[in-house]
Coordinates of all heavy atoms in Angstrom, one line a residue:
I1 N -8.4 11.5 22.2 CA -7.2 11.1 21.5 C -7.5 10.9 20.0 O -8.5 10.3 19.6 CB -6.5 9.8 22.1 CG1 -5.1 9.6 21.6 CG2 -7.4 8.6 21.9 CD1 -4.3 8.6 22.4
G2 N -6.5 11.3 19.1 CA -6.6 11.0 17.7 C -5.7 9.9 17.4 O -4.6 9.7 18.0
V3 N -6.1 9.0 16.5 CA -5.4 7.8 16.2 C -5.1 7.7 14.7 O -6.0 7.9 13.8 CB -6.1 6.5 16.6 CG1 -5.3 5.3 16.3 CG2 -6.5 6.6 18.1
A4 N -3.8 7.4 14.3 CA -3.4 7.3 12.9 C -2.7 5.9 12.8 O -2.0 5.4 13.7 CB -2.5 8.4 12.5
L5 N -2.8 5.4 11.6 CA -2.1 4.1 11.2 C -1.4 4.2 9.9 O -2.1 4.6 8.9 CB -3.2 3.0 11.2 CG -2.8 1.6 10.6 CD1 -1.7 1.0 11.5 CD2 -4.1 0.7 10.5
V6 N -0.1 4.0 9.9 CA 0.7 4.1 8.6 C 1.6 2.9 8.5 O 1.8 2.2 9.5 CB 1.5 5.4 8.6 CG1 0.6 6.6 8.6 CG2 2.5 5.5 9.7
T7 N 2.1 2.7 7.4 CA 3.0 1.5 7.2 C 4.4 1.9 7.5 O 4.7 3.0 8.0 CB 2.9 1.0 5.7 OG1 3.5 -0.3 5.6 CG2 3.5 2.0 4.7
S8 N 5.3 1.0 7.2 CA 6.7 1.2 7.6 C 7.5 2.1 6.6 O 6.9 2.5 5.6 CB 7.4 -0.2 7.7 OG 7.5 -0.8 6.3
G9 N 8.7 2.3 6.9 CA 9.6 3.1 5.9 C 9.0 4.4 5.6 O 8.8 5.3 6.4
P10 N 8.7 4.6 4.3 CA 8.3 6.0 3.8 C 6.9 6.3 4.4 O 6.6 7.5 4.6 CB 8.2 5.8 2.3 CG 8.1 4.4 2.1 CD 8.9 3.7 3.1
G11 N 6.1 5.3 4.7 CA 4.8 5.6 5.4 C 5.0 6.3 6.7 O 4.4 7.2 7.1
A12 N 6.0 5.7 7.5 CA 6.3 6.2 8.8 C 7.0 7.6 8.7 O 6.7 8.5 9.5 CB 7.1 5.2 9.6
T13 N 7.9 7.7 7.8 CA 8.6 9.0 7.7 C 7.7 10.1 7.1 O 7.9 11.3 7.5 CB 9.9 8.9 6.8 OG1 9.6 8.4 5.5 CG2 10.9 7.9 7.5
N14 N 6.7 9.8 6.3 CA 5.8 10.8 5.9 C 4.9 11.3 7.0 O 4.3 12.3 6.9 CB 4.8 10.2 4.8 CG 5.5 10.2 3.4 OD1 6.5 10.8 3.2 ND2 4.9 9.4 2.5
A15 N 4.8 10.5 8.1 CA 4.0 10.9 9.2 C 4.8 11.8 10.2 O 4.2 12.3 11.2 CB 3.6 9.6 10.0
I16 N 6.1 12.0 10.0 CA 6.9 12.7 11.0 C 6.4 14.1 11.2 O 6.4 14.6 12.3 CB 8.4 12.7 10.5 CG1 9.0 11.3 10.5 CG2 9.2 13.6 11.4 CD1 8.9 10.6 11.8
T17 N 6.0 14.8 10.1 CA 5.6 16.2 10.2 C 4.4 16.3 11.2 O 4.4 17.2 12.1 CB 5.3 16.8 8.9 OG1 6.5 16.8 8.1 CG2 4.8 18.2 9.0
G18 N 3.5 15.4 11.0 CA 2.3 15.5 11.9 C 2.6 15.1 13.3 O 2.0 15.7 14.3
I19 N 3.5 14.2 13.5 CA 3.9 13.8 14.9 C 4.6 15.0 15.6 O 4.3 15.4 16.7 CB 4.9 12.6 14.9 CG1 4.1 11.4 14.4 CG2 5.4 12.3 16.3 CD1 5.0 10.2 14.1
A20 N 5.5 15.7 14.8 CA 6.2 16.8 15.4 C 5.3 18.0 15.7 O 5.4 18.7 16.7 CB 7.3 17.3 14.4
D21 N 4.3 18.2 14.8 CA 3.3 19.2 15.0 C 2.5 18.9 16.3 O 2.3 19.8 17.1 CB 2.4 19.3 13.8 CG 1.5 20.5 13.8 OD1 1.9 21.5 13.3 OD2 0.4 20.4 14.4
A22 N 2.1 17.7 16.5 CA 1.4 17.3 17.7 C 2.2 17.5 18.9 O 1.7 17.9 20.0 CB 0.9 15.9 17.6
M23 N 3.5 17.2 18.9 CA 4.4 17.4 20.0 C 4.5 18.9 20.4 O 4.4 19.3 21.5 CB 5.8 16.9 19.7 CG 6.7 16.8 20.9 SD 6.1 15.6 22.2 CE 7.5 15.7 23.3
G24 N 4.6 19.7 19.3 CA 4.7 21.2 19.6 C 3.5 21.8 20.2 O 3.6 22.7 21.0
D25 N 2.3 21.3 19.9 CA 1.1 21.8 20.3 C 0.4 21.0 21.4 O -0.8 21.2 21.7 CB 0.1 22.0 19.2 CG 0.5 23.2 18.3 OD1 1.4 23.9 18.7 OD2 -0.2 23.5 17.3
S26 N 1.1 20.0 22.0 CA 0.5 19.2 23.1 C -0.8 18.5 22.7 O -1.8 18.6 23.4 CB 0.3 20.0 24.3 OG 1.5 20.7 24.7
V27 N -0.8 17.8 21.5 CA -2.0 17.1 21.0 C -1.9 15.6 21.4 O -0.9 15.0 21.0 CB -2.1 17.3 19.5 CG1 -3.4 16.7 19.0 CG2 -2.0 18.8 19.2
P28 N -2.9 15.1 22.0 CA -2.9 13.6 22.3 C -3.1 12.8 21.1 O -4.2 12.7 20.5 CB -4.0 13.5 23.3 CG -5.0 14.6 23.0 CD -4.2 15.7 22.5
L29 N -2.1 12.1 20.6 CA -2.1 11.3 19.4 C -1.6 9.9 19.8 O -0.6 9.7 20.6 CB -1.3 11.8 18.3 CG -1.8 13.0 17.5 CD1 -0.9 13.2 16.2 CD2 -3.2 13.0 17.1
L30 N -2.2 8.9 19.1 CA -1.6 7.5 19.1 C -1.3 7.2 17.7 O -2.2 7.2 16.9 CB -2.6 6.5 19.8 CG -2.2 5.1 19.8 CD1 -0.9 4.9 20.6 CD2 -3.3 4.2 20.3
V31 N -0.1 6.9 17.4 CA 0.3 6.7 16.0 C 0.9 5.3 15.9 O 1.9 5.0 16.5 CB 1.4 7.7 15.6 CG1 1.7 7.5 14.1 CG2 0.8 9.1 15.8
F32 N 0.3 4.4 15.1 CA 0.8 3.1 14.8 C 1.6 3.2 13.6 O 1.1 3.6 12.5 CB -0.4 2.1 14.6 CG -1.1 1.8 15.9 CD1 -2.3 2.4 16.2 CD2 -0.7 0.8 16.8 CE1 -3.0 2.1 17.3 CE2 -1.4 0.5 17.9 CZ -2.6 1.1 18.2
T33 N 2.8 2.8 13.6 CA 3.7 2.7 12.5 C 4.0 1.2 12.2 O 4.4 0.5 13.1 CB 5.0 3.4 12.6 OG1 5.7 2.9 13.8 CG2 4.7 4.9 12.8
G34 N 3.8 0.7 11.0 CA 4.1 -0.6 10.6 C 5.6 -0.8 10.7 O 6.4 0.2 10.5
Q35 N 6.1 -2.0 10.9 CA 7.5 -2.2 10.9 C 7.8 -3.6 10.2 O 6.9 -4.5 10.2 CB 8.1 -2.2 12.3 CG 9.6 -2.3 12.4 CD 10.3 -1.3 11.6 OE1 10.6 -1.5 10.4 NE2 10.7 -0.2 12.2
V36 N 9.0 -3.7 9.6 CA 9.3 -5.0 9.0 C 9.3 -6.1 10.1 O 9.3 -5.8 11.3 CB 10.7 -5.0 8.3 CG1 10.7 -3.9 7.3 CG2 11.8 -4.7 9.4
A37 N 9.2 -7.3 9.7 CA 9.2 -8.4 10.7 C 10.4 -8.4 11.6 O 11.5 -7.9 11.2 CB 9.2 -9.8 9.9
T38 N 10.3 -8.9 12.8 CA 11.4 -8.8 13.8 C 12.7 -9.3 13.3 O 13.8 -8.8 13.6 CB 11.0 -9.4 15.1 OG1 10.6 -10.8 14.8 CG2 9.9 -8.7 15.7
R39 N 12.6 -10.4 12.5 CA 13.9 -11.0 12.0 C 14.6 -10.1 11.0 O 15.8 -10.2 10.8 CB 13.6 -12.3 11.3 CG 12.7 -12.2 10.0 CD 12.4 -13.5 9.4 NE 11.5 -13.4 8.3 CZ 10.1 -13.3 8.4 NH1 9.6 -13.3 9.6 NH2 9.4 -13.2 7.3
G40 N 13.9 -9.0 10.4 CA 14.6 -8.1 9.5 C 15.0 -6.8 10.1 O 15.7 -6.0 9.4
I41 N 14.6 -6.6 11.3 CA 14.9 -5.3 12.0 C 16.4 -5.2 12.1 O 17.1 -6.0 12.6 CB 14.2 -5.2 13.3 CG1 12.7 -5.1 13.1 CG2 14.7 -3.9 14.1 CD1 11.9 -5.0 14.4
G42 N 17.0 -4.0 11.7 CA 18.4 -3.8 11.8 C 19.2 -4.3 10.7 O 20.4 -4.2 10.7
K43 N 18.5 -4.9 9.6 CA 19.2 -5.5 8.5 C 18.9 -4.8 7.2 O 19.1 -5.4 6.1 CB 18.8 -7.0 8.4 CG 19.2 -7.8 9.7 CD 18.8 -9.2 9.6 CE 19.2 -10.0 10.9 NZ 18.7 -11.4 10.9
D44 N 18.4 -3.6 7.3 CA 18.1 -2.8 6.1 C 17.1 -3.5 5.2 O 17.2 -3.5 4.0 CB 19.3 -2.4 5.3 CG 20.2 -1.5 6.1 OD1 19.7 -0.7 6.8 OD2 21.5 -1.6 5.9
A45 N 16.1 -4.1 5.8 CA 15.1 -4.8 5.0 C 14.3 -3.8 4.2 O 14.3 -2.6 4.5 CB 14.2 -5.6 6.0
F46 N 13.5 -4.3 3.2 CA 12.7 -3.5 2.4 C 11.8 -2.6 3.2 O 11.0 -3.2 4.0 CB 12.0 -4.3 1.4 CG 11.1 -3.5 0.5 CD1 11.6 -2.6 -0.5 CD2 9.7 -3.7 0.6 CE1 10.7 -1.9 -1.3 CE2 8.8 -2.9 -0.2 CZ 9.3 -2.0 -1.2
Q47 N 11.8 -1.3 3.0 CA 10.9 -0.4 3.7 C 11.1 -0.4 5.2 O 10.2 -0.2 6.0 CB 9.5 -0.6 3.4 CG 9.1 -0.2 1.9 CD 7.7 -0.1 1.6 OE1 6.9 -0.7 2.2 NE2 7.3 0.8 0.6
E48 N 12.4 -0.6 5.6 CA 12.7 -0.5 7.1 C 13.2 0.9 7.4 O 14.0 1.5 6.6 CB 13.7 -1.5 7.5 CG 14.1 -1.4 9.0 CD 15.3 -2.2 9.4 OE1 16.0 -2.8 8.5 OE2 15.6 -2.2 10.6

């Protein structure tokens, strides 16, 4: 398995191409994306 770690918001969206590529070619990946604190989820917090 390959493992990647990126931050929230643009960090996570910049990772989308690699995630989709892995899905297309059946590549085992574990991708950690950072996220805003739980109290800010769904509230358009900075970099959510």
